[in-house]
Amino acid sequence: MAFAPMGPETSFFDALDRHRASLLAMVKSGTGETPAEATQVASRFEDSVGLQMIPQCTTKKVKSDSLKSVKKFALILKILSMIYKLIQSNTYATKRDIYYTDSQLFGNQATVDNIIDDISCMLKVPRRSLHVLSTSKGLIAGNLRYTEDDGTPVQCACTTVATAVPSNIEGMQNLITDAKFLLIVEKDATFQRLLDDNFCSRMSPCIMVTGKGVPDLNTRLLVKKLWDTFHIPIFTLVDADPHGIEIMCIYKYGSMSMSFEAHNLTVPTIRWLGLLPSDIKRLNIPKKSLIPLTKCDQMKLDSILRRPYITYQPFWRKEMEMMADSKMKAEIQALTCLSSDYLSRVYLPNKLRFGGWI
C-alpha cells in the first residue's frame, strides 16, 4: 500500500467499487457512454472524447502580403522562432515568459495566448509539444505522490495546505495512489473549507482537485492524467447554477476553444455528484438561501440544454429543467443553512456511500 488507510471501513466504499468496476469494464470494451448515433447527430461531439473540431469548420487566413494581417503574420513567425529555440534546447517557457520578452511588441497577454493556440491548432499538436506551458492556478490534496520533471519528489497530503498543480503535467512520473475516488471542487473557497473540515482525511483514501472556477489547462491535464493512469471514479462538486454546470461540462466534454485538443483534456466518465437542483427540494433548503436566475443565467442554461451531449444525459437534462422551472439557483454554501459542516459530514459522505451521483 502506498499510504496508510485513515478513512471509513471498507464496506463504506461498496458503491464506489461497483461504479469503478463498471468503468473498467467500459474501458476494456472500448465503448463510450452514449449511443453511436451521437456522432451522427453532431459531428463536433464524440462520446468517448467530447467536443472535437470538425474538418469543415470555419478557418481564417493570415497573409504576409496583406496590410490587414501582416502584423499578426510577423508575430506568428516571431513566436514560432521562440518555440523552435525552446524545442532545440529542450527547455520550457510559460506564455507569460513569452509575452515579457517583448511586451511592447505583443501589446497584451491575450495576443500571445491566441497565437499559441492558433499554432497548436495549425500544427495539430498539444501545446506542451511546443514546450509552452501555462501558469497553473489549481490545487491538489489527498492520497497522491509523484516525482516532478526535475526529479523533485512530491507527496500531497490531507492537510489544510494543498499542493499547487504542476506546470508540466507531462513531466509527472512515478504516480502512486490508493484513492477510491477523485473529487473535483469548483471553487477554491469550498475546497479550502473541505480541507479545514478534515473531509479529505475522513474520506481517505481520496484525492481532491480544484481549478478555482473555470479550470486552467494544467488542471484539466492533471485530471485527465489521473484518469488515464488509475481509472478511479471522478466526481464534480459544483454550484447548482448554469455557471457550475458549464465548468463541469468543460472537465467532462471540453470546450469549443480547445476542441482541437479534446482527446488530451476530456474525461467523459466524470459524474455529477452535486449540488443537484433536486437536492435543493429534497433537503428543504429555505428559499432565502436561493438566488433567482438572471437573464444571462437563463441564456446559459438554454445554451447547455441545446448541446448534443445533453441529449444523451437524461438525468442531467431533468435536473436542468428543474432549475429552469424553479427559476432559482443555489451555491454550495446554501447547505450551511442546515449546519455549518453539513457538506463535509453529511451531504458528501452520504452521496459517496449510497451512489448519489448522475
Side-chain angles (χ1 to χ4, degrees):
M1 298 286 286
F3 301 83
M6 300 168 55
E9 59 186 32
T10 305
S11 61
F12 178 92
F13 295 111
D14 284 350
L16 282 170
D17 290 339
R18 289 193 298 271
H19 179 48
R20 188 185 185 195
S22 69
L23 292 176
L24 290 173
M26 186 182 69
V27 170
K28 187 175 181 180
S29 66
T31 58
E33 294 187 287
T34 59
E37 57 265 25
T39 57
Q40 298 169 7
V41 173
S43 56
R44 293 177 185 168
F45 172 66
E46 184 177 325
D47 61 308
S48 62
V49 178
L51 292 172
Q52 288 189 297
M53 187 174 68
I54 57 176
Q56 298 79 19
C57 63
T58 302
T59 59
K60 58 184 176 183
K61 292 182 179 180
V62 180
K63 299 179 180 180
S64 60
D65 58 353
S66 167
L67 287 176
K68 190 175 181 181
S69 59
V70 66
K71 181 179 179 180
K72 184 167 185 179
F73 184 84
L75 293 178
I76 290 173
L77 288 182
K78 181 175 178 62
I79 292 178
L80 276 171
S81 69
M82 298 175 72
I83 290 170
Y84 177 77
K85 291 176 183 177
L86 289 171
I87 295 173
Q88 286 289 92
S89 60
N90 195 28
T91 55
Y92 291 82
T94 66
K95 293 186 294 183
R96 200 69 176 160
D97 293 334
I98 291 175
Y99 168 68
Y100 278 115
T101 60
D102 199 331
S103 59
Q104 289 190 344
L105 175 65
F106 293 121
N108 55 66
Q109 183 67 56
T111 299
V112 174
D113 296 350
N114 292 334
I115 289 176
I116 290 171
D117 285 344
D118 287 344
I119 291 172
S120 180
C121 183
M122 178 179 65
L123 299 179
K124 298 181 180 178
V125 296
R127 190 189 300 162
R128 63 179 177 274
S129 296
L130 305 176
H131 284 229
V132 179
L133 305 174
S134 297
T135 303
S136 296
K137 66 171 182 171
L139 298 172
I140 184 170
N143 189 287
L144 177 69
R145 67 172 178 243
Y146 59 90
T147 304
E148 289 193 337
D149 57 328
D150 62 358
T152 304
V154 177
Q155 177 151 343
C156 303
C158 299
T159 65
T160 55
V161 180
T163 302
V165 170
S167 59
N168 186 2
I169 302 300
E170 185 70 12
M172 294 173 70
Q173 300 175 351
N174 306 319
L175 284 80
I176 300 173
T177 188
D178 297 320
K180 291 286 188 179
F181 66 93
L182 165 63
L183 180 65
I184 299 170
V185 183
E186 175 190 348
K187 296 186 292 190
D188 183 38
T190 304
F191 181 86
Q192 295 296 339
R193 179 57 192 266
L194 289 174
L195 290 180
D196 292 342
D197 286 353
N198 213 26
F199 170 81
C200 203
S201 293
R202 288 190 286 105
M203 289 294 104
S204 182
C206 70
I207 301 171
M208 292 202 316
V209 170
T210 181
K212 298 182 179 180
V214 177
D216 59 293
L217 184 66
N218 290 327
T219 302
R220 294 173 63 188
L221 284 169
L222 175 65
V223 171
K224 172 68 171 176
K225 190 176 186 75
L226 292 174
W227 164 252
D228 287 343
T229 305
F230 302 112
H231 291 118
I232 57 174
I234 302 178
F235 305 107
T236 56
L237 176 65
V238 299
D239 288 337
D241 66 13
H243 185 69
I245 295 170
E246 177 76 279
I247 288 172
M248 177 173 60
C249 289
I250 290 173
Y251 282 107
K252 185 176 174 77
Y253 293 121
S255 60
M256 290 300 295
S257 62
M258 296 295 291
S259 59
F260 62 90
E261 204 179 336
H263 58 286
N264 293 316
L265 296 171
T266 60
V267 185
T269 55
I270 286 174
R271 295 291 189 271
W272 187 2
L273 188 70
L275 182 64
L276 302 178
S278 59
D279 291 334
I280 297 170
K281 183 177 181 180
R282 179 175 60 85
L283 297 173
N284 293 316
I285 304 295
K287 195 168 184 179
K288 65 180 182 180
S289 299
L290 306 181
I291 306 168
L293 289 176
T294 65
K295 187 175 181 179
C296 287
D297 289 332
Q298 292 172 341
M299 291 173 64
K300 171 67 73 176
L301 191 57
D302 290 341
S303 170
I304 297 173
L305 282 167
R306 289 195 300 269
R307 294 177 188 175
Y309 47 75
I310 298 300
T311 303
Y312 302 95
Q313 292 289 348
F315 295 110
W316 285 30
R317 174 174 287 278
K318 184 177 180 181
E319 293 290 337
M320 285 186 276
E321 288 174 345
M322 190 178 299
M323 184 191 300
D325 291 341
S326 69
K327 292 182 171 50
M328 302 296 284
K329 61 183 179 179
E331 296 185 339
I332 298 166
Q333 286 80 357
L335 294 173
T336 58
C337 70
L338 302 175
S339 71
S340 60
D341 58 357
Y342 188 85
L343 174 67
S344 61
R345 290 190 177 274
V346 181
Y347 182 83
L348 288 176
N350 283 342
K351 285 267 185 172
L352 293 165
R353 184 170 189 176
F354 300 110
W357 53 78
I358 58 175

